[in-house]
Amino acid sequence: MEFRLLGTVSVDTRTGPLPLGPAKRRSLLAALLLSANTPVPVARLTDSLWGEDPPPRARGVIQGHVSRLRALLTGAEAQAYGVELVTLGDAYVLRVPETLLDYQRFEELLMLARQQRSATDTVRMLDDALSLWQGPALGGAFTEGPLQAAAHTLEESRLATVEELARAYGNLGEHHRAASALRAEAVAHPMRESLAAALILALYRAGRQSEALDWFHRTRRLLADELGIDPGHELADAYALILRGDPRPGPASAGGPGTAPPGASRPGTGPGTSSTGPGPAAGTAAAAGPPRVPAAHSPSVAPHPTDLLPRAPRGFHGRGAELAALTRAAAGEAPVCLVTGPAGVGKTSLALQWAHHNPAAFPDGRLFADLRGFSETGEPALIDVLREFLLALGVAPRRVPESVSAAAALFRSLTDRRRLLVVLDNARDSATVRALLPGGTDCVTLVTSRNRLEGLIASDAARPVPLGTLEPQDGTALLAGVLGEERILAEPVAARRLAELCGGLPLALRVTAARLAGRPQWTLAGLADELADERGRLTFLDVDDTGVSAALRLTVQQLPADAVRQLARLGHHPGGHFDPYTCAALAGTDPVAAAAALERLGSAHLVTETAPGRWVLHDLVRLYARGLDPASGAEALIGVLDHYISTALAAADTAEPGGEPCFVLPEDHRSAAVRDFADRAAAMHWLAAERDDLARAAVAARSARLHDRAWRIILLQWPQVVWRVRDSWAPLLELALDSARAQQDLYAESRVLNLLGWVLTEEGRTAEALALLERSPGLARRAGDRLGEATALINLAVVQAGQGELDRALEGCGGAVALARQEKDRHTEMLALQHLARLQLVAHRPGDALESARTALALGPEHEEAARRSLLLAVSGEARLALGEEEEGVLLLDRAAEEAERAGYDEGAVRALEALLRVSARADYLTRHAQALGRLTDGG
């Protein structure tokens, strides 16, 4: 006895198949077999047989079918095979050995096939598995709802098995058999991309490259027409493999059908064919099918494919990801591939490298035009470009139209049914490109431009392939291609340094290599030292009529005046990145105008947007920009410094709204637009993200003797310093201290000493901290800064307590509380009470500590001062523990840890959890402590 679902639903016996009767009964049997040996509720059976619209007597109908099935099985002596149809309450179960189920045997053979080491055994078992199929799954049943899903699942398994069988044939080198197995399924399932991809590869590896390419384009057109989509990665990758000319395993690569022995001449080579390498020749065109006969109204067409490509680039290195991206982009219908990037990044080299590496994909020819969109000689007339294309396609000179529109129409008509590559190099705008687009759906247009050409993306679905600078290893490889491996290996460190100083820009690297090649007595290290001096770097990167400055000049000369002015001011920016607010401050404009200028500069690839609203400038572009208007440097620097001061002040006020402003603005401060910070998280994020640039700005301010700006920019980062106190802030604060002293500003010196002393304390540099902090209260008093004096007393008390001078520390904190109350400053009072409570706890006065903490907590609203609240709750918890109130203490400490964790205050979380672990070894406390400590160690 055998139960079949892989085909018509049936039960085979020694005397023949059982007469199952109507489709509903077969559906019922299928539903029971799919859940063999498992109870199937009547409700699920109802759903399987009728879906959402069952008849009123559905249960009775099911009972009747079950009764008839049971009688049929009994009559066929099913019990002798261990088969039984049983009623279990409101469900039925068909008990049947899995060996009698064809789909179970199918799955078992699949599993065994995958375990075989021999490809021959794998093929045999997969063949056996597929032989169990006798038609579409669940044939003769109503495949609605669950049964439809089951039939689909079984069919998917069968198709996947066919693909496995084809791979097994491929492992044996039997690619013709693989193609035969796949073709019928690919015809039956034309939308299944994995089948099409497998068939394409099998045909290619069988030496049938033309068929493979035809099948790809057939599938691509079908996907576009039926679904409006391009091929997915699997199909595009198969196409790319053929275009790359990857080795074909099996008989085809060993000189079998479809190949020629090494050195054999190709049919059609000779006068009039391309000599640029393995480009399209007559033999290639023949392989793609019979030659097309021109339409009666068409001009005469050349008998061989044309090739206008310049020679392939020499010394091309890297760019594997971009080449693959181009191949994927070229897999669409009538694709327009858009290679964009800054001047000198190697766009033309990439385009030509890809074009030369894929000749078989374009049996009807390859056209090329330099549109000179960024050239001092000006752009060629469109009619001249079209005339060259038409002549190359075989149009007689007298038949070339005189108008651009007529010539473009003829070009589209001639290319309508061809596989042609059109390379349009150095395009300036989208309109120029549109007039030169071919008409065929199998044609590929490859455009390069320094501009983003977003209009072409919008109108013609151009696929952008942005090109960035080279990684250092690819840069050194490019140098080696010109200078030789020996010279690079002799100075590997200097070679890498040269690649970095050239900013990974291929043009700069080639100029550098040219200088070294002509001067064998020069060392790489010597030239690297010359390039390290920014003042002369661009001069060294120009040679004859080629160089970085010349390339950038051609880009800049096409910009509007406001964009050029913005670029010039960006050259004086001391930071590494910028946003519209920073740009506005540099140029003395507003953020809206600055954003528009940035978009224009970004479109020309003179600046790069690394994140929404966040831009960077390549080092060589920065040096060039600085030379556009050197006299504006001082004005631009002051503008951006004052912008940073205003923005940092707004961030500090948002992050710590109860805090006292650190200072008044400089007298000659220039007002600028300042971003709004929605909440503390946004302000802290800005301070963290801008830390490096704020440090660079402070250094630039000190170098320009703008000391009043330098210490302010640093000191305003105090919320971030407090939040990440152990994050190496001391060098920056020492710079602020130097600037404060250079300006002889007692207020600034005292404030910086306070913060620096506290940082040194947290870093364990107690003696240094004490030496600084002992001077701070007096400086603040002389400056009339009573709140600064209170803060100084607090920080000094912490150090004194660490030195064992607990009484002096308690006295200092008490004085700080009094000063804060006199000034009616709740923020400073809360800070002083927090430290006083901690010291009272150390002095074994838990009752006083608890009272101080309570007073402090009452001063601040719950939604503010997250870090301080956490510390005060921790002190309260430890005080409760010291008073013997363990349950209350644990609750307070747990709450302190949770608040610190929620606020991202890892140091506070570590402190609270350490206190908890002294009284409890709970696993979750250990885990949370380890996690918080890990975050703190990693820098958060």
Side-chain angles (χ1 to χ4, degrees), residues 339-400:
V339 178
T340 62
V345 82
K347 300 179 293 297
T348 302
S349 293
L350 177 76
L352 290 176
Q353 178 73 8
W354 185 86
H356 275 285
H357 201 60
N358 299 287
F362 309 108
D364 296 319
R366 299 179 292 189
L367 303 178
F368 178 90
D370 183 358
L371 301 181
R372 302 198 302 270
F374 303 88
S375 169
E376 290 180 318
T377 61
E379 298 173 87
L382 276 175
I383 190 63
D384 292 339
V385 177
L386 286 165
R387 179 180 294 108
E388 184 176 0
F389 283 179
L390 291 171
L391 293 174
L393 292 173
V395 178
R398 60 187 178 81
R399 300 292 302 275
V400 176

Side-chain angles (χ1 to χ4, degrees), residues 222-249:
L222 187 64
L223 290 171
D225 293 343
E226 297 295 329
L227 303 178
I229 62 173
D230 288 334
H233 283 300
E234 191 171 4
L235 192 55
D237 288 347
Y239 180 57
L241 183 144
I242 299 174
L243 297 187
R244 289 197 304 268
D246 282 10
R248 298 194 295 262

